[in-house]
Amino acid sequence: MNHFLKILLVLLLAPAVLVAGVLTFLTVTEYRPADREEMVLCGAEESRPLAVGDTLSVMSWNIGYGALGDNADFFMEGGEMVMSADEDRVKENLAGITKEIRKVSPDVLLLQEVDSDSKRSYHIDETAMMEDLYEDDVSTEALYHSVVYV
């Protein structure tokens, strides 16, 4: 009977230790930005101040790392899939995104969920792709979240 209790204890403790280890790892590696982050401007050094009466077009878009198109079934949004698109679909989505940005040609472009080296977007450098849209203009980027498993 004593041997049976030891086996039972190990079977119960092993999953608890595993879960505690995973939670500890995720907590320790969690990205925690400072209250204020310094952003480095890249690109053109000259800027023209706006004058009264000038117009300024602004475009804001969460591009969903190029994978959250009309076919997406992502588990974080109620779906079932972890990888919501294959690599060809990500490239197709990104081509459509850059085409639309070029068409609108905003003075200020604010993008969210632009990956630079992520498994979920097949390690496509979307940051460089978006910077190429405005290669002669000023750009900057800020890390919003960084997770080991993404």
Side-chain angles (χ1 to χ4, degrees), residues 63-69 71 83-100 102 118-126 129-130:
I63 68 166
Y65 54 93
L68 297 179
N71 69 325
M83 298 294 284
S84 57
D86 61 25
E87 185 173 2
D88 289 337
R89 182 57 193 249
V90 171
K91 289 178 179 177
E92 179 185 329
N93 290 346
L94 290 170
I97 290 165
T98 55
K99 181 180 177 184
E100 187 65 23
R102 282 191 176 99
S118 178
K119 180 179 177 183
R120 68 183 186 174
S121 55
Y122 300 91
H123 304 282
I124 297 168
D125 191 351
E126 298 171 0
M129 185 182 290
M130 297 305 150

Short mmCIF file of all heavy atoms in Angstrom, two decimals, residues 63-69 71 83-100 102 118-126 129-130:
data_model
loop_
_atom_site.label_atom_id
_atom_site.label_comp_id
_atom_site.label_asym_id
_atom_site.label_seq_id
_atom_site.Cartn_x
_atom_site.Cartn_y
_atom_site.Cartn_z
N ILE A 63 -2.68 45.38 -38.79
CA ILE A 63 -2.56 44.47 -39.94
C ILE A 63 -2.59 43.00 -39.54
O ILE A 63 -2.51 42.12 -40.39
CB ILE A 63 -1.30 44.77 -40.79
CG1 ILE A 63 -0.02 44.44 -40.02
CG2 ILE A 63 -1.32 46.21 -41.28
CD1 ILE A 63 1.21 44.39 -40.91
N GLY A 64 -2.73 42.72 -38.24
CA GLY A 64 -2.87 41.35 -37.78
C GLY A 64 -1.74 40.45 -38.23
O GLY A 64 -1.97 39.30 -38.61
N TYR A 65 -0.51 40.97 -38.23
CA TYR A 65 0.72 40.29 -38.64
C TYR A 65 0.61 39.59 -39.99
O TYR A 65 1.32 38.65 -40.30
CB TYR A 65 1.26 39.35 -37.54
CG TYR A 65 0.29 38.32 -37.00
CD1 TYR A 65 0.24 37.04 -37.54
CD2 TYR A 65 -0.55 38.62 -35.94
CE1 TYR A 65 -0.63 36.09 -37.04
CE2 TYR A 65 -1.42 37.68 -35.43
CZ TYR A 65 -1.46 36.43 -35.99
OH TYR A 65 -2.33 35.49 -35.49
N GLY A 66 -0.31 40.10 -40.81
CA GLY A 66 -0.45 39.57 -42.17
C GLY A 66 -1.18 38.25 -42.25
O GLY A 66 -1.34 37.70 -43.33
N ALA A 67 -1.64 37.73 -41.12
CA ALA A 67 -2.25 36.40 -41.14
C ALA A 67 -3.72 36.40 -40.76
O ALA A 67 -4.36 35.36 -40.84
CB ALA A 67 -1.47 35.47 -40.21
N LEU A 68 -4.24 37.51 -40.34
CA LEU A 68 -5.64 37.52 -39.90
C LEU A 68 -6.55 38.07 -41.00
O LEU A 68 -7.23 39.07 -40.82
CB LEU A 68 -5.77 38.33 -38.60
CG LEU A 68 -5.03 37.76 -37.41
CD1 LEU A 68 -5.21 38.64 -36.18
CD2 LEU A 68 -5.45 36.33 -37.11
N GLY A 69 -6.56 37.39 -42.13
CA GLY A 69 -7.42 37.77 -43.24
C GLY A 69 -8.82 37.20 -43.08
O GLY A 69 -9.21 36.72 -42.02
N ASN A 71 -9.96 34.50 -43.98
CA ASN A 71 -9.99 33.07 -43.73
C ASN A 71 -9.53 32.70 -42.32
O ASN A 71 -9.47 31.53 -41.98
CB ASN A 71 -9.08 32.35 -44.74
CG ASN A 71 -7.60 32.68 -44.49
OD1 ASN A 71 -7.26 33.79 -44.10
ND2 ASN A 71 -6.75 31.71 -44.71
N MET A 83 -2.01 28.64 -35.91
CA MET A 83 -1.45 29.31 -37.09
C MET A 83 -2.63 29.60 -38.01
O MET A 83 -3.19 28.69 -38.62
CB MET A 83 -0.42 28.42 -37.78
CG MET A 83 0.78 28.10 -36.91
SD MET A 83 1.79 29.52 -36.52
CE MET A 83 2.65 29.75 -38.06
N SER A 84 -3.04 30.85 -38.08
CA SER A 84 -4.29 31.18 -38.76
C SER A 84 -4.16 31.27 -40.28
O SER A 84 -5.16 31.41 -40.96
CB SER A 84 -4.86 32.48 -38.20
OG SER A 84 -3.91 33.51 -38.33
N ALA A 85 -2.95 31.22 -40.81
CA ALA A 85 -2.77 31.26 -42.26
C ALA A 85 -1.46 30.58 -42.61
O ALA A 85 -0.53 30.56 -41.80
CB ALA A 85 -2.76 32.71 -42.76
N ASP A 86 -1.38 30.02 -43.82
CA ASP A 86 -0.11 29.45 -44.26
C ASP A 86 0.77 30.57 -44.82
O ASP A 86 0.33 31.71 -44.98
CB ASP A 86 -0.31 28.32 -45.27
CG ASP A 86 -1.00 28.75 -46.55
OD1 ASP A 86 -0.94 29.95 -46.92
OD2 ASP A 86 -1.61 27.89 -47.21
N GLU A 87 2.02 30.25 -45.11
CA GLU A 87 2.98 31.28 -45.53
C GLU A 87 2.55 31.99 -46.80
O GLU A 87 2.68 33.21 -46.91
CB GLU A 87 4.36 30.65 -45.73
CG GLU A 87 5.43 31.68 -46.03
CD GLU A 87 6.83 31.09 -46.07
OE1 GLU A 87 6.99 29.87 -45.91
OE2 GLU A 87 7.78 31.88 -46.25
N ASP A 88 2.00 31.26 -47.76
CA ASP A 88 1.54 31.90 -49.01
C ASP A 88 0.42 32.89 -48.74
O ASP A 88 0.37 33.97 -49.33
CB ASP A 88 1.08 30.84 -50.02
CG ASP A 88 2.24 30.04 -50.59
OD1 ASP A 88 3.38 30.54 -50.58
OD2 ASP A 88 2.00 28.90 -51.06
N ARG A 89 -0.48 32.53 -47.82
CA ARG A 89 -1.59 33.43 -47.50
C ARG A 89 -1.08 34.68 -46.78
O ARG A 89 -1.56 35.79 -47.01
CB ARG A 89 -2.64 32.71 -46.66
CG ARG A 89 -3.85 33.57 -46.32
CD ARG A 89 -4.54 34.09 -47.60
NE ARG A 89 -5.49 35.11 -47.31
CZ ARG A 89 -6.81 34.98 -47.44
NH1 ARG A 89 -7.32 33.87 -47.89
NH2 ARG A 89 -7.60 35.97 -47.13
N VAL A 90 -0.09 34.53 -45.91
CA VAL A 90 0.51 35.69 -45.23
C VAL A 90 1.12 36.62 -46.27
O VAL A 90 0.90 37.84 -46.23
CB VAL A 90 1.56 35.26 -44.19
CG1 VAL A 90 2.32 36.46 -43.65
CG2 VAL A 90 0.90 34.51 -43.04
N LYS A 91 1.87 36.07 -47.21
CA LYS A 91 2.47 36.89 -48.27
C LYS A 91 1.41 37.57 -49.12
O LYS A 91 1.55 38.75 -49.47
CB LYS A 91 3.39 36.04 -49.14
CG LYS A 91 4.66 35.61 -48.43
CD LYS A 91 5.52 34.72 -49.30
CE LYS A 91 6.80 34.32 -48.58
NZ LYS A 91 7.62 33.40 -49.35
N GLU A 92 0.34 36.86 -49.44
CA GLU A 92 -0.76 37.44 -50.22
C GLU A 92 -1.42 38.57 -49.44
O GLU A 92 -1.70 39.64 -50.00
CB GLU A 92 -1.78 36.34 -50.52
CG GLU A 92 -2.99 36.79 -51.31
CD GLU A 92 -4.00 35.67 -51.48
OE1 GLU A 92 -3.62 34.48 -51.53
OE2 GLU A 92 -5.21 35.99 -51.53
N ASN A 93 -1.67 38.35 -48.15
CA ASN A 93 -2.27 39.40 -47.32
C ASN A 93 -1.37 40.63 -47.24
O ASN A 93 -1.84 41.77 -47.34
CB ASN A 93 -2.55 38.87 -45.91
CG ASN A 93 -3.69 37.87 -45.88
OD1 ASN A 93 -4.45 37.72 -46.82
ND2 ASN A 93 -3.79 37.15 -44.77
N LEU A 94 -0.07 40.41 -47.04
CA LEU A 94 0.87 41.53 -46.94
C LEU A 94 0.94 42.30 -48.25
O LEU A 94 1.05 43.53 -48.24
CB LEU A 94 2.25 41.03 -46.53
CG LEU A 94 2.36 40.54 -45.08
CD1 LEU A 94 3.69 39.83 -44.85
CD2 LEU A 94 2.17 41.68 -44.10
N ALA A 95 0.87 41.61 -49.37
CA ALA A 95 0.85 42.30 -50.67
C ALA A 95 -0.39 43.18 -50.78
O ALA A 95 -0.31 44.33 -51.25
CB ALA A 95 0.89 41.28 -51.81
N GLY A 96 -1.52 42.67 -50.33
CA GLY A 96 -2.75 43.47 -50.35
C GLY A 96 -2.68 44.66 -49.40
O GLY A 96 -3.15 45.75 -49.72
N ILE A 97 -2.08 44.46 -48.24
CA ILE A 97 -1.93 45.53 -47.26
C ILE A 97 -1.05 46.64 -47.82
O ILE A 97 -1.41 47.82 -47.76
CB ILE A 97 -1.36 44.97 -45.94
CG1 ILE A 97 -2.41 44.11 -45.24
CG2 ILE A 97 -0.88 46.10 -45.02
CD1 ILE A 97 -1.86 43.23 -44.12
N THR A 98 0.12 46.27 -48.37
CA THR A 98 1.01 47.30 -48.92
C THR A 98 0.38 48.00 -50.12
O THR A 98 0.57 49.20 -50.30
CB THR A 98 2.38 46.70 -49.31
OG1 THR A 98 2.20 45.61 -50.21
CG2 THR A 98 3.13 46.22 -48.07
N LYS A 99 -0.38 47.27 -50.92
CA LYS A 99 -1.08 47.89 -52.06
C LYS A 99 -2.08 48.94 -51.58
O LYS A 99 -2.15 50.04 -52.13
CB LYS A 99 -1.79 46.81 -52.88
CG LYS A 99 -2.53 47.33 -54.08
CD LYS A 99 -3.20 46.20 -54.84
CE LYS A 99 -4.00 46.75 -56.01
NZ LYS A 99 -4.73 45.66 -56.70
N GLU A 100 -2.82 48.60 -50.54
CA GLU A 100 -3.81 49.54 -50.01
C GLU A 100 -3.14 50.76 -49.39
O GLU A 100 -3.60 51.90 -49.57
CB GLU A 100 -4.69 48.84 -48.96
CG GLU A 100 -5.85 49.66 -48.49
CD GLU A 100 -6.88 49.96 -49.56
OE1 GLU A 100 -6.97 49.22 -50.57
OE2 GLU A 100 -7.63 50.96 -49.40
N ARG A 102 -0.24 52.02 -50.23
CA ARG A 102 0.25 52.85 -51.35
C ARG A 102 -0.89 53.62 -51.99
O ARG A 102 -0.74 54.78 -52.38
CB ARG A 102 0.95 51.97 -52.39
CG ARG A 102 2.33 51.58 -52.01
CD ARG A 102 3.06 50.92 -53.20
NE ARG A 102 4.43 50.63 -52.83
CZ ARG A 102 4.86 49.43 -52.45
NH1 ARG A 102 4.01 48.41 -52.41
NH2 ARG A 102 6.11 49.24 -52.13
N SER A 118 8.90 36.37 -36.43
CA SER A 118 7.96 35.61 -35.62
C SER A 118 7.53 34.34 -36.33
O SER A 118 7.33 34.34 -37.56
CB SER A 118 6.74 36.47 -35.31
OG SER A 118 5.80 35.74 -34.57
N LYS A 119 7.36 33.31 -35.59
CA LYS A 119 6.90 32.03 -36.15
C LYS A 119 5.52 32.19 -36.77
O LYS A 119 5.25 31.63 -37.83
CB LYS A 119 6.87 30.96 -35.05
CG LYS A 119 6.41 29.61 -35.51
CD LYS A 119 6.41 28.60 -34.38
CE LYS A 119 5.89 27.26 -34.86
NZ LYS A 119 5.82 26.28 -33.78
N ARG A 120 4.64 32.96 -36.13
CA ARG A 120 3.27 33.08 -36.59
C ARG A 120 3.15 33.74 -37.96
O ARG A 120 2.16 33.59 -38.66
CB ARG A 120 2.42 33.82 -35.57
CG ARG A 120 2.78 35.28 -35.41
CD ARG A 120 1.98 35.95 -34.35
NE ARG A 120 2.25 37.38 -34.31
CZ ARG A 120 1.61 38.23 -33.56
NH1 ARG A 120 0.65 37.82 -32.75
NH2 ARG A 120 1.92 39.50 -33.59
N SER A 121 4.18 34.51 -38.35
CA SER A 121 4.20 35.15 -39.68
C SER A 121 5.35 34.61 -40.52
O SER A 121 5.82 35.28 -41.43
CB SER A 121 4.27 36.67 -39.54
OG SER A 121 5.38 37.04 -38.76
N TYR A 122 5.78 33.39 -40.20
CA TYR A 122 6.78 32.66 -40.97
C TYR A 122 8.09 33.43 -41.13
O TYR A 122 8.74 33.37 -42.15
CB TYR A 122 6.20 32.24 -42.33
CG TYR A 122 4.99 31.36 -42.14
CD1 TYR A 122 3.71 31.91 -42.07
CD2 TYR A 122 5.13 30.00 -41.96
CE1 TYR A 122 2.60 31.12 -41.85
CE2 TYR A 122 4.02 29.20 -41.73
CZ TYR A 122 2.76 29.76 -41.68
OH TYR A 122 1.66 28.96 -41.45
N HIS A 123 8.45 34.17 -40.10
CA HIS A 123 9.72 34.91 -40.01
C HIS A 123 9.90 35.92 -41.15
O HIS A 123 11.02 36.28 -41.49
CB HIS A 123 10.91 33.93 -39.93
CG HIS A 123 10.78 32.98 -38.79
ND1 HIS A 123 11.07 33.35 -37.50
CD2 HIS A 123 10.33 31.70 -38.72
CE1 HIS A 123 10.83 32.33 -36.69
NE2 HIS A 123 10.37 31.32 -37.40
N ILE A 124 8.80 36.37 -41.72
CA ILE A 124 8.84 37.43 -42.73
C ILE A 124 9.10 38.75 -42.00
O ILE A 124 8.44 39.05 -41.00
CB ILE A 124 7.51 37.50 -43.51
CG1 ILE A 124 7.28 36.19 -44.26
CG2 ILE A 124 7.50 38.70 -44.45
CD1 ILE A 124 5.88 36.05 -44.84
N ASP A 125 10.04 39.54 -42.48
CA ASP A 125 10.35 40.82 -41.84
C ASP A 125 9.37 41.87 -42.32
O ASP A 125 9.63 42.63 -43.25
CB ASP A 125 11.80 41.23 -42.12
CG ASP A 125 12.22 42.41 -41.26
OD1 ASP A 125 11.37 43.01 -40.58
OD2 ASP A 125 13.42 42.74 -41.28
N GLU A 126 8.22 41.90 -41.68
CA GLU A 126 7.17 42.85 -42.07
C GLU A 126 7.57 44.28 -41.75
O GLU A 126 7.16 45.21 -42.44
CB GLU A 126 5.87 42.48 -41.34
CG GLU A 126 5.36 41.12 -41.70
CD GLU A 126 4.19 40.67 -40.85
OE1 GLU A 126 3.75 41.41 -39.94
OE2 GLU A 126 3.70 39.55 -41.09
N MET A 129 9.46 45.54 -44.62
CA MET A 129 8.53 45.70 -45.74
C MET A 129 7.75 47.01 -45.61
O MET A 129 7.58 47.74 -46.58
CB MET A 129 7.57 44.50 -45.74
CG MET A 129 6.62 44.45 -46.90
SD MET A 129 5.50 43.02 -46.78
CE MET A 129 6.65 41.69 -47.08
N MET A 130 7.29 47.31 -44.41
CA MET A 130 6.53 48.53 -44.20
C MET A 130 7.43 49.77 -44.27
O MET A 130 7.01 50.82 -44.76
CB MET A 130 5.78 48.48 -42.86
CG MET A 130 4.75 47.38 -42.78
SD MET A 130 3.54 47.46 -44.13
CE MET A 130 3.13 45.73 -44.30
#
